[in-house]
Amino acid sequence: MHPRLEDYALIGDEQTAALVGRDGSVDWLCLPRFDSGACFARLLGDEENGHWRLAPKDVEGPCTRRAYRPDTLVLDTEWDTPQGSVRVTDLMPQRDRAPDLVRIVEGLRGRVTVRSTLRLRFDYGSIVPWMRRCDDHRVAVAGPDSVWLRSEPPVRTWGEHFRTHAEFTVAEGEKVAFVLTWHPSHEPRPPLIDPYQALEHSVADWRAWASRCSYTGPHRDAVVRSLITLKALTYAPTGGIVAAPTTSLPEELSGVRNWDYRYCWLRDSTLTLGALLSAGYQEEAEAWRDWLLRAVAGNPADLQIMYGLAGERRLPEYELPWLSGFAGSAPVRIGNDAVRQLQLDVYGEVLDSLSLARRSGLSSQPHVWSMQCALLDFLSRAWRQPDEGLWEVRGGRRHFVHSKVMVWVAADRMVRALEEDPSLRGDLDGWR
């Protein structure tokens, strides 16, 4: 039976993310970016499409318990067995150069034999890499991708049926750490990280970030957990915010509305921006605003509903026939043709978010206001057009009430800005 979506936990380094199942298997990971090819794609296929399971040898099912460490994106998964108890700690430390996936095994009680099964499959599960040994590493290479696997202390690994195995026993208090590192195959191996220091730094970094949350109302733990998840979907180098770390998860099982969401939707990003601002995270909001200005620069009529992580405009859509889809829900799609749609509501969401940013105290910049004026000037001419709307229908453009209401929101926020700030200039009468 295919794992349930709700049984996956998210870990990430603000540039990409992995999904970890309750059985200790990493079933989804794109390297080095959210929108790169996956080296673990079991989520959308089967075990042969790539995964990495780390769990007690004789346990096939889910773990006994698991949880994030408070106010972090560090995941602890524990198993109780007749021989004892063991914990696997999963994290992706914020990177200086190369992405690392760290998995630390720790004995809690008794003596437990643990088995690691690693199937690396590049390009969304389609390419079996060439594996070799180099010093204490297992090295996988195929085309532009190279992945290095090491353990600390070293444990014996062996290859069998195009997969890499390891088997070892941990007693109470003993630890074994694995580090999986990606880098371009034409470059030298990046400097090694200390997995135990990486764990300490990751816990400290996430808790320092969470401590900045200004929300003090009910269910604060759940609010902070949600904010951490939103932060994990931020692409740190540019400030862009992805809608999801995955592609082609179906709207309904066996359905065909399976889309690639590893891009920056303006609508989704503006909602995330509002959540971050309401919790006091102005730095992230300012980074997103700067990303937006770069992404939408040009003719306002050419505003797209989504962009790539760095503001890329071309996101061609195609299908991967070798993947069966989540729980058999094919097709699996990469890219998103909805990038070419007209969705008038997006203009309203963008202008509403920039209005929120201004009222929240973000530093004002003259070119930000110029861009807002250009967007509304375009809307004043285009708002009567039909569009594809919030639901991204692919059956032709229609008139959607939601789109028209959000055009009203755009004009309303611009009128309020002029009324509140005498230093701004604009067509107040026309916008009214």
Side-chain angles (χ1 to χ4, degrees):
M1 181 178 293
H2 206 286
R4 302 179 304 171
L5 284 180
E6 56 267 38
D7 287 339
Y8 285 104
L10 175 82
I11 59 173
D13 62 1
E14 296 178 52
Q15 296 191 44
T16 190
L19 295 185
V20 187
R22 288 186 176 275
D23 61 350
S25 179
V26 180
D27 288 350
W28 182 256
L29 176 59
C30 299
L31 294 172
R33 307 194 332 173
F34 288 108
D35 58 352
S36 300
C39 64
F40 299 139
R42 181 190 177 200
L43 179 74
L44 301 178
D46 57 31
E47 292 184 348
E48 292 303 320
N49 298 124
H51 75 118
W52 182 11
R53 186 163 193 256
L54 188 58
K57 177 182 177 181
D58 298 321
V59 176
E60 295 297 328
C63 63
T64 305
R65 58 192 164 270
R66 69 172 182 175
Y68 289 106
R69 297 196 182 181
D71 291 350
T72 78
L73 205 63
V74 175
L75 180 70
D76 287 326
T77 305
E78 298 180 2
W79 286 265
D80 295 334
T81 75
Q83 293 75 38
S85 300
V86 67
R87 173 191 298 138
V88 174
T89 299
D90 289 317
L91 65 142
M92 295 189 72
Q94 294 186 13
R95 67 180 85 167
D96 293 324
R97 179 178 170 187
D100 297 289
L101 171 58
V102 176
R103 314 195 75 185
I104 300 174
V105 182
E106 179 181 0
L108 302 178
R109 178 180 59 81
R111 293 177 58 84
V112 180
T113 299
V114 177
R115 188 175 182 91
S116 168
T117 300
L118 173 68
R119 286 182 175 90
L120 279 165
R121 300 292 186 266
F122 295 130
D123 191 29
Y124 302 101
S126 67
I127 298 175
V128 179
W130 172 52
M131 300 289 295
R132 61 183 174 88
R133 289 185 182 272
C134 183
D135 300 327
D136 291 327
H137 289 77
R138 279 277 184 168
V139 185
V141 177
D145 297 298
S146 179
V147 166
W148 294 63
L149 173 70
R150 65 183 175 94
S151 59
E152 190 175 312
V155 297
R156 186 179 77 88
T157 61
W158 71 94
E160 181 181 322
H161 303 305
F162 301 105
R163 67 196 77 166
T164 299
H165 296 280
E167 196 170 294
F168 55 94
T169 300
V170 288
E172 181 177 341
E174 293 180 342
K175 296 180 181 180
V176 175
F178 291 87
V179 181
L180 187 79
T181 304
W182 179 95
H183 71 95
S185 59
H186 64 279
E187 294 183 0
R189 186 203 67 199
L192 303 179
I193 67 166
D194 182 311
Y196 302 105
Q197 287 185 0
L199 172 60
E200 291 181 9
H201 292 162
S202 291
V203 169
D205 288 347
W206 278 111
R207 286 179 176 166
W209 187 85
S211 70
R212 291 165 45 203
C213 176
S214 60
Y215 177 76
T216 57
H219 310 293
R220 188 178 189 276
D221 289 346
V223 171
V224 171
R225 172 56 49 200
S226 297
L227 289 166
I228 288 173
T229 304
L230 294 177
K231 175 67 170 173
L233 297 178
T234 301
Y235 186 64
T238 66
I241 303 171
V242 297
T246 52
T247 179
S248 301
L249 296 182
E251 292 186 9
E252 58 181 358
L253 292 180
S254 302
V256 298
R257 290 180 56 84
N258 315 326
W259 314 118
D260 193 345
Y261 287 111
R262 298 172 300 157
Y263 306 114
C264 304
W265 263 257
L266 297 189
R267 181 188 301 110
D268 299 61
S269 298
T270 58
L271 296 173
T272 300
L273 177 74
L276 291 170
L277 278 173
S278 68
Y281 290 101
Q282 289 200 340
E283 181 180 329
E284 288 75 12
E286 192 158 4
W288 178 83
R289 185 192 63 184
D290 293 343
W291 170 88
L292 173 71
L293 292 173
R294 296 191 301 268
V296 307
N299 188 340
D302 297 330
L303 182 76
Q304 297 183 180
I305 66 167
M306 74 180 89
Y307 296 86
L309 303 178
E312 298 91 344
R313 293 180 175 237
R314 297 188 183 275
L315 309 173
E317 182 179 305
Y318 58 95
E319 297 181 4
L320 304 183
W322 62 85
L323 290 175
S324 58
F326 179 82
S329 301
V332 171
R333 295 183 174 96
I334 302 302
N336 201 308
D337 278 345
V339 71
R340 298 179 291 181
Q341 291 188 356
L342 174 66
Q343 296 180 18
L344 293 172
D345 67 290
V346 167
Y347 290 81
E349 274 124 8
V350 168
L351 291 175
D352 182 45
S353 292
L354 291 175
S355 173
L356 174 63
R358 180 181 57 82
R359 296 197 308 272
S360 299
L362 258 64
S363 59
S364 59
Q365 299 177 7
H367 59 286
V368 177
W369 179 251
S370 298
M371 181 200 71
Q372 293 176 251
C373 292
L375 292 178
L376 192 56
D377 286 343
F378 167 75
L379 274 185
S380 69
R381 301 187 302 272
W383 73 272
R384 291 180 175 85
Q385 295 181 25
D387 68 349
E388 276 87 4
L390 171 71
W391 296 272
E392 299 182 2
V393 295
R394 296 197 176 191
R397 294 179 179 178
R398 299 162 51 188
H399 288 288
F400 291 99
V401 172
H402 177 264
S403 296
K404 310 306 184 189
V405 170
M406 292 310 297
V407 171
W408 176 88
V409 168
D412 176 75
R413 300 306 185 263
M414 294 293 282
V415 168
R416 291 188 186 196
L418 287 182
E419 293 173 341
E420 295 168 359
D421 189 344
S423 68
L424 299 176
R425 294 292 179 266
D427 181 12
L428 180 57
D429 291 337
W431 294 348
R432 277 177 173 157

